[in-house]
Amino acid sequence: MSMRIGFGFDSHVFQAGVPLVIGGLTIQHTEGLAGHSDGDVLLHAITDALLGAVSAGDIGTFFPPSDPRWKGAASSLFLRTALEEIKSAGYRIGNVDTCLVMMRPKIVPIANELRESVAELLEVKPHQVGIKAKTPEGLNQDAVAMAYATVLLESLEQEEPLKQMAAVAEDDDELNDVVESLVVGVRDTSALGRKIPAFDTNDLT
Ligand code: MG
């Protein structure tokens, strides 16, 4: 299986009088993030990580701040474009990990909600998304929100043989027999289909 990694970073300044939007969520706070779009620092970092993973440039390549069409735009639009880019390049998301850096508001109480929002926008399961947060200790950046994101992409090519088998197999049992015959001797088949444990947000620091 072919894999690609991507990395993204973004920062925005806090500003009074605008809503605070992070990870597609509108968050109750005294200030929002200034920006040409909705200022969603987290989605911008993830968008850049996705585009970078398939060498497709960055968010400014597709949505230049000089273009009035993107004034006040929802950043989920940018994210959808990046998703289309990775799909057309033949990849899907394996997992995404992120780190928000801001003095306030506190992210930990809303980390689970953020994770579900980002997962829904990325069309993946919540356990494929990591949301972590830090305060900018010693950086003298209390008026700024920063976000870092990494993504791991997996190629879609491995899915094709299974899809073809699914198309010809008479029923699930027959398909399972075919899959088992392919993987036997390679790995412990009793591990297949094992439920993935839920992500524990209490681990967030
Ligand atoms: Mg930005």
Side-chain angles (χ1 to χ4, degrees):
M1 179 190 295
S2 166
M3 292 187 286
R4 309 274 302 195
I5 63 166
F7 170 74
F9 168 79
D10 195 30
S11 66
H12 283 260
V13 175
F14 280 101
Q15 177 187 308
V18 293
L20 177 60
V21 181
I22 298 178
L25 286 180
T26 301
I27 297 163
Q28 281 295 324
H29 191 54
T30 52
E31 298 176 307
L33 293 171
H36 190 65
S37 63
D38 62 6
D40 193 326
V41 68
L42 181 59
L43 293 194
H44 293 181
I46 296 172
T47 299
D48 265 4
L50 290 168
L51 292 173
V54 292
S55 297
D58 64 17
I59 199 166
T61 311
F62 290 84
F63 306 100
S66 55
D67 191 329
R69 280 182 298 171
W70 315 125
K71 182 156 178 55
S75 298
S76 54
L77 169 71
F78 306 159
L79 199 66
R80 275 202 300 277
T81 298
L83 285 178
E84 284 165 16
E85 284 296 311
I86 69 161
K87 280 178 193 163
S88 66
Y91 287 87
R92 67 177 174 194
I93 292 172
N95 73 301
V96 176
D97 194 16
T98 67
C99 184
L100 285 161
V101 184
M102 63 187 71
M103 186 55 81
R104 60 188 72 80
K106 291 293 179 198
I107 296 299
V108 170
I110 58 168
N112 204 38
E113 204 180 344
L114 271 176
R115 189 167 60 102
E116 287 177 0
S117 173
V118 170
E120 189 177 343
L121 291 170
L122 290 173
E123 300 167 0
V124 298
K125 304 287 186 199
H127 71 76
Q128 290 171 280
V129 177
I131 302 285
K132 309 189 300 302
K134 302 286 175 189
T135 50
E137 302 294 333
L139 295 179
N140 197 25
Q141 294 290 350
D142 292 5
V144 174
M146 292 170 272
Y148 298 83
T150 55
V151 302
L152 182 69
L153 305 184
E154 303 165 344
S155 62
L156 293 165
E157 63 203 34
Q158 292 297 315
E159 284 190 337
E160 292 311 313
L162 280 176
K163 277 185 186 164
Q164 288 162 13
M165 280 189 277
V168 296
E170 291 288 321
D171 52 36
D172 283 353
D173 283 346
E174 189 179 329
L175 180 61
N176 286 339
D177 287 346
V178 174
V179 173
E180 214 161 289
S181 70
L182 287 172
V183 299
V184 72
V186 178
R187 61 170 68 170
D188 177 10
T189 55
S190 66
L192 293 172
R194 191 166 51 194
K195 191 164 165 41
I196 296 165
F199 179 85
D200 182 8
T201 54
N202 291 328
D203 287 346
L204 292 169
T205 55

